[in-house]
Amino acid sequence: MKKIFISFCTSVFAIAATAQSSFVKDNFTKLDTTITMRDGIKLYTVIYIPKDQSQHYPFLMERTPYSAGPYGDTYARSIGPNESLMKEKYIFVYQDVRGRYMSEGVNLEVTPYIANKKSKKDVDESSDTYDTVDWLLKNIKNNNGRVGLAGISYPGFYATACLPGAHPAIKAVSPQAPVTDEFVGDDANHNGAFFLMDNFSFMNFFDMERPGPVKDYSKPLFTAGYRDAFQFYLKMGTVKNTNGAKYYNNKSVIWNEYLQHDTYDAYWKARNIRPHLKNITIPTLVVGGWFDAEDLFGALHTYEAIEKQSPVNTNRLVMGPWTHGSWESGDWSKFVTHDFGSNTSKYFQDSLETTFFNFYLKDKGSFNAAEATVFETGSNQWKSYAVWPPKNTVAVDYFLNAGNKLSLQKTADKNNFDEYISDPAKPVPYTNGVFGRRNNEYMAEDQRFAALRPDVLVFETDELTEDVTLAGRINADLFVSISSTDADFVVKLIDVLPDTAATPRTAPRGFSMSGLQRLVRAEVMRGKFRNSYEKPEAFTPNQVSEVKFDLNDVAHVFKKGHKIMVQVQSSWFPLVDRNPQQFMRIPDATEKDFQKATIRIYHDDENASKIVLPVLK
């Protein structure tokens, strides 16, 4: 997600770059300069050039909205995506994108790509990258004529954006957790449901007014200190209230754009880079994390878009057991209750990322990674596939049946359903506990807290008699009726551990691994978009409707003796804003618009709700 919180909102290449590093200063010469774009705008660029001039070096660049600093005489503590690449020595380049920090111009939210540029005034991230590369090749000595780009989150988008209309010197690109489509699956919205908490806190620090180029932004747009995010957002009331005098007060351009564009209109479509990823022949290494709460969608769908629209490509996918950007951490061998049995980030950095850039930019060594290198949770193994999703998967229907059963056979019953009352005044929390910021562990969290609620439906299999391995995208296919005209639907796929699961001695008091309901994947669909993101439709009260949507891909083994569980609910707060449960423009809703709704999930012979799992055979 571009919404890396401010504590992580520094350059990905120089993630904590303020103090001087003896290695960087001893081995590199630092150059701060500006590069003039075709329309006259100057972009601030920081360049680290190896002092050893006995050979020619490729460029490795990150373009960022989060500061190319440190500026001036101060050297970054570390440079390059990882330590191995830093010691390999490249000409490392960091650039403040238009309208951010020390660069001139106006910053646009996920800058739309202009396919047919008619004049020098038609600029975008592709043209800015092109002009930057051109300048670097002509003005920085001892380069070998090759350029690579990498970036995580928003910088991942800028890496992707260089691919269409790319400069011929660009020879390797690694979009990592790239922002890709902010209405369908990244950052701002998932299937039209607004991700309130992340965006509210992020934009306060990101979209501040800037009088001109600055080394640092002065202060946030408002002050909102709180330790309990659930209570804070509940007391705030409606999304409309976020623009009150205490908060944004119409001072954030991007926040206003988000609230104005509540359907998949031209604003969002222009910011979807996927249609432009055609005939991409530049070697690409798309990277994502299975526990990435921001841009899991972006990684999977960037890879998919290149594959589908580029008949001849050198496009590879890496998916690991990572949160947002944690593949560049020093050690990632555990997460929540997972123990992966190895340092997965070190493996990625040394065996995949470094070898990728060395091979394509330096002709050094080889790069023989499979088309898809994927970490399989549950078995805790790296897997290699010739295509993703693997060809030997079968879509298997698991039906939501009466008696809280999840089974391979649908019921023969008539007019069978489970129901619950969805009350916007008492929304289902997305996590268990009190947190002032988003709990980054929620994507692998124990769901027993939710299963106890009367507004969460639970369906589970019997104990598995053999392993069930999933590889690919999941589909939820619900048949529902609601007593109102709109509602959200959250579907969660859960791995239930057996009663014999051992609890670590270091576990907190009262916690047990026995019967743990570990989240594998979850997604939300705003019901009014069930047939079209562009043209929302009201539900007819108490009439059965089909709500069908995808959950992001998984690579997971449900082990023998475990159970597969599905939970269904209609709120996920405050991760997602509350739906007033009537058909309307939700950013305009007031407190009186919110109402309870009776939600029915049908499981009979005519309306058989199910989840479709990609089972590897």
Side-chain angles (χ1 to χ4, degrees):
M1 157 181 195
K2 70 173 188 304
K3 319 298 191 232
I4 309 178
F5 286 100
I6 295 303
S7 62
F8 191 57
C9 270
T10 52
S11 165
V12 174
F13 282 9
I15 235 157
T18 53
Q20 292 191 0
S21 159
S22 60
F23 180 86
V24 176
K25 195 166 187 178
D26 290 348
N27 290 277
F28 292 86
T29 299
K30 182 171 182 278
L31 171 66
D32 285 40
T33 189
T34 58
I35 299 176
T36 304
M37 301 294 102
R38 64 190 64 181
D39 63 346
I41 293 295
K42 295 179 179 180
L43 302 188
Y44 200 95
T45 308
V46 179
I47 307 168
Y48 291 88
I49 306 167
K51 290 183 177 180
D52 179 4
Q53 296 288 291
S54 64
Q55 58 181 296
H56 292 82
Y57 299 96
F59 296 98
L60 190 48
M61 178 164 59
E62 180 192 82
R63 305 185 65 247
T64 179
Y66 301 133
S67 175
Y71 304 106
D73 295 334
T74 305
Y75 277 63
R77 180 184 303 172
S78 63
I79 53 178
N82 64 59
E83 184 178 356
S84 296
L85 280 166
M86 177 175 70
K87 293 182 176 179
E88 278 286 336
K89 295 183 182 177
Y90 285 72
I91 302 172
F92 293 105
V93 180
Y94 307 94
Q95 185 175 75
D96 289 333
V97 297
R98 283 178 181 256
R100 296 295 298 171
Y101 286 87
M102 291 293 286
S103 286
E104 297 177 348
V106 176
N107 181 253
L108 299 179
E109 169 73 347
V110 189
T111 313
Y113 175 67
I114 302 172
N116 299 308
K117 298 176 177 65
K118 298 178 181 179
S119 73
K120 291 184 178 181
K121 293 183 180 180
D122 289 339
V123 293
D124 54 24
E125 304 308 334
S126 175
S127 66
D128 282 356
T129 307
Y130 192 106
D131 294 350
T132 299
V133 168
D134 215 47
W135 187 95
L136 292 170
L137 294 171
K138 295 172 181 176
N139 291 277
I140 302 301
K141 296 179 180 179
N142 272 40
N143 74 76
N144 73 354
R146 300 184 192 181
V147 180
L149 283 94
I152 299 173
S153 194
Y154 215 151
F157 160 74
Y158 293 117
T160 302
C162 85
L163 290 168
H167 193 289
I170 297 176
K171 301 299 183 182
V173 176
S174 184
Q176 302 179 9
V179 180
T180 302
D181 190 327
E182 289 194 297
F183 191 84
V184 178
D186 283 317
D187 304 317
N189 302 273
H190 286 208
N191 295 310
F194 184 48
F195 267 50
L196 171 64
M197 179 171 58
D198 283 0
N199 290 282
F200 180 84
S201 57
F202 173 84
M203 210 56 69
N204 183 28
F205 291 89
F206 184 81
D207 199 26
M208 295 172 285
E209 290 186 19
R210 191 188 75 141
V214 293
K215 291 183 179 180
D216 198 5
Y217 288 79
S218 56
K219 59 182 180 180
L221 292 170
F222 56 85
T223 301
Y226 52 88
R227 295 183 178 180
D228 187 336
F230 185 92
Q231 290 300 325
F232 171 78
Y233 287 102
L234 197 60
K235 290 176 182 177
M236 176 192 289
T238 68
V239 171
K240 184 178 182 179
N241 290 343
T242 63
N243 250 333
K246 292 173 60 177
Y247 305 118
Y248 281 107
N249 199 20
N250 291 302
K251 290 182 288 187
S252 169
V253 173
I254 299 174
W255 188 257
N256 285 343
E257 290 173 348
Y258 281 3
L259 301 192
Q260 178 185 351
H261 300 282
D262 69 323
T263 64
Y264 198 41
D265 58 12
Y267 174 86
W268 297 112
K269 290 179 181 179
R271 286 159 175 78
N272 174 15
I273 191 70
R274 288 181 290 168
H276 305 292
L277 299 178
K278 299 175 181 177
N279 301 314
I280 304 300
T281 58
I282 297 170
T284 54
L285 185 70
V286 183
V287 182
W290 292 131
F291 304 116
D292 187 340
E294 288 101 53
D295 294 297
L296 171 58
F297 176 96
L300 293 166
H301 287 80
T302 294
Y303 167 80
E304 180 184 67
I306 294 173
E307 285 296 302
K308 288 184 175 181
Q309 300 174 124
S310 305
V312 178
N313 67 67
T314 309
N315 180 37
R316 291 181 175 91
L317 176 68
V318 179
M319 295 298 300
W322 303 309
T323 58
H324 196 58
S326 64
W327 46 89
E328 298 294 11
S329 63
D331 183 15
W332 198 264
S333 55
K334 296 180 180 180
F335 180 62
V336 196
T337 57
H338 286 280
D339 186 338
F340 306 124
S342 64
N343 187 347
T344 61
S345 59
K346 185 66 172 172
Y347 169 75
F348 165 74
Q349 293 164 32
D350 292 348
S351 299
L352 294 166
E353 185 176 44
T354 297
T355 56
F356 171 76
F357 283 117
N358 279 349
F359 179 71
Y360 288 110
L361 298 182
K362 289 188 170 186
D363 292 328
K364 181 177 180 179
S366 60
F367 187 68
N368 299 316
E371 174 77 11
T373 304
V374 172
F375 191 86
E376 186 178 79
T377 54
S379 68
N380 296 324
Q381 300 179 58
W382 284 102
K383 298 287 186 177
S384 297
Y385 296 107
V387 63
W388 184 264
K391 289 184 177 179
N392 55 327
T393 57
V394 177
V396 177
D397 296 339
Y398 280 78
F399 293 95
L400 282 54
N401 283 331
N404 306 112
K405 292 293 185 180
L406 184 68
S407 59
L408 295 170
Q409 293 80 34
K410 68 177 180 179
T411 183
D413 295 341
K414 302 288 186 181
N415 195 35
N416 208 330
F417 57 83
D418 286 306
E419 70 177 18
Y420 55 92
I421 304 294
S422 175
D423 184 355
K426 300 176 182 179
V428 181
Y430 78 98
T431 189
N432 187 28
V434 177
F435 297 91
R437 295 167 60 177
R438 189 228 301 136
N439 174 18
N440 208 33
E441 297 183 349
Y442 86 90
M443 289 186 71
E445 190 174 9
D446 183 5
Q447 298 299 303
R448 283 178 286 198
F449 77 96
L452 296 173
R453 291 181 59 111
D455 51 357
V456 177
L457 299 182
V458 178
F459 305 88
E460 67 176 354
T461 64
D462 294 332
E463 286 189 5
L464 300 175
T465 57
E466 59 182 14
D467 290 357
V468 176
T469 301
L470 308 186
R473 198 156 298 162
I474 299 164
N475 181 261
D477 189 1
L478 305 180
F479 289 88
V480 310
S481 70
I482 65 177
S483 61
S484 56
T485 52
D486 192 20
D488 290 348
F489 295 91
V490 179
V491 173
K492 299 185 287 191
L493 178 68
I494 296 161
D495 189 344
V496 182
L497 274 59
D499 293 340
T500 55
T503 302
R505 291 182 179 180
T506 56
R509 185 179 179 183
F511 175 82
S512 174
M513 293 287 284
S514 174
L516 182 83
Q517 297 175 11
R518 181 188 282 153
L519 187 62
V520 175
R521 185 66 69 237
E523 192 55 278
V524 59
M525 163 61 76
R526 184 136 285 170
K528 64 184 179 182
F529 296 115
R530 64 196 180 280
N531 295 321
S532 169
Y533 293 127
E534 295 89 348
K535 298 178 180 180
E537 298 176 28
F539 286 82
T540 300
N542 303 314
Q543 179 176 303
V544 177
S545 298
E546 185 177 20
V547 177
K548 190 173 183 179
F549 60 98
D550 288 336
L551 285 68
N552 282 314
D553 304 25
V554 296
H556 181 76
V557 178
F558 291 89
K559 302 292 286 186
K560 178 182 176 181
H562 290 217
K563 298 178 182 179
I564 302 174
M565 176 183 284
V566 170
Q567 292 182 4
V568 182
Q569 59 200 56
S570 287
S571 51
W572 212 15
F573 189 76
L575 191 69
V576 176
D577 70 324
R578 295 175 301 149
N579 191 324
Q581 301 188 148
Q582 61 171 309
F583 183 72
M584 65 180 303
R585 250 186 58 82
I586 294 177
D588 294 337
T590 62
E591 284 80 355
K592 64 181 178 60
D593 293 313
F594 286 75
Q595 59 185 17
K596 296 180 183 180
T598 299
I599 313 290
R600 290 181 173 180
I601 307 296
Y602 287 80
H603 39 69
D604 57 38
D605 60 342
E606 293 184 2
N607 302 300
S609 296
K610 63 186 179 183
I611 189 166
V612 185
L613 301 181
V615 177
L616 190 64
K617 297 298 185 181

